[in-house]
Structures are given as structure tokens and as C-alpha cells.
Amino acid sequence: MPNKTIDNDLLITEIVRGIEEVKGEDITILDLRDIENTVCDYFIICNGNSNTQVNAIVGSVQKMVSKSIKDKPWHVEGTDNAEWVLMDYVNVVVHVFQKHIREHYDIEALWGDAKSTIIKTSY
């Protein structure tokens, strides 16, 4: 069971580090705290260029978070086809997409009221 006392900022930092470690692209953090009836506080959204890279991002995030803050996701789904993998860290939910799937679902637009932070990556 995940540790509920983990600091969100630290968790987000480690998740982003895990994404960057394997060159995940277009990292966006949506702050959902000011929106009523949300299932979590933050979404972190990124994409990879293939199912192999999507799974590598998921593995890197899990490894980074586990190593740094001894936490693990409560639930992970979507790794079989690796087009859209959801990692649920309770207060923070990570969405790792293949680019075309991300464009199709456009989660950022669905959650347009959220505060959005874009992480610039330079690879």
C-alpha cells in the first residue's frame, strides 16, 4: 500500500525525474486542487514515441520514486498495449501516452480549469 504521508512536491519531483531519465516528452503538471470533486490533487502527463518508450518511462518513474522516497503506485494499468499507461500514486496520477493517443484524448483540454505547468525538456 502506498505511503499516504509522502509530500506531493517531492513525489512530483521524483516522477518528473523518472520521466526525464528516459527522455519522456511534453511533460505537463495539472494542479487539480482548486477543482471540486477531483479524484486526486495532480495529474502529470507526458508522452513517449513507442510502446517500448512508454513502458520505459513507467519503469523509470517506479524505480526513481521507490529508490528516493520508498513509495510505489497504488495501481498501474495499461502496460499491456502501452498506448496509455495510468500510474496512480493516490494524490498524484501519472498519464504516460504515446503521442497520437495523447492528442486524441487531449486530457489538458478536458481539465482546462486546472493550473497547468509545462516542464521544458532539452534532449
Side-chain angles (χ1 to χ4, degrees), residues 10-26:
L10 180 58
L11 178 59
I12 289 167
T13 298
E14 294 306 317
I15 290 168
V16 170
R17 280 185 54 213
I19 295 167
E20 292 174 332
E21 184 76 18
V22 290
K23 298 182 175 24
E25 299 176 347
D26 302 322

Side-chain angles (χ1 to χ4, degrees), residues 40-104:
C40 63
D41 292 339
Y42 296 93
F43 280 168
I44 300 178
I45 305 164
C46 70
N47 55 265
N49 294 310
S50 66
N51 56 353
T52 302
Q53 188 182 18
V54 165
N55 278 328
I57 293 167
V58 170
S60 179
V61 167
Q62 287 179 313
K63 183 174 149 191
M64 198 70 69
V65 170
S66 174
K67 190 170 152 185
S68 312
I69 54 179
K70 311 288 186 263
D71 198 17
K72 60 183 181 183
W74 176 69
H75 184 72
V76 176
E77 62 183 70
T79 54
D80 289 345
N81 66 6
E83 290 183 341
W84 176 1
V85 177
L86 183 141
M87 305 173 70
D88 185 349
Y89 282 94
V90 184
N91 291 331
V92 179
V93 174
V94 184
H95 298 270
V96 185
F97 288 98
Q98 286 189 39
K99 189 174 177 87
H100 68 284
I101 301 294
R102 181 177 182 173
E103 289 168 355
H104 177 77

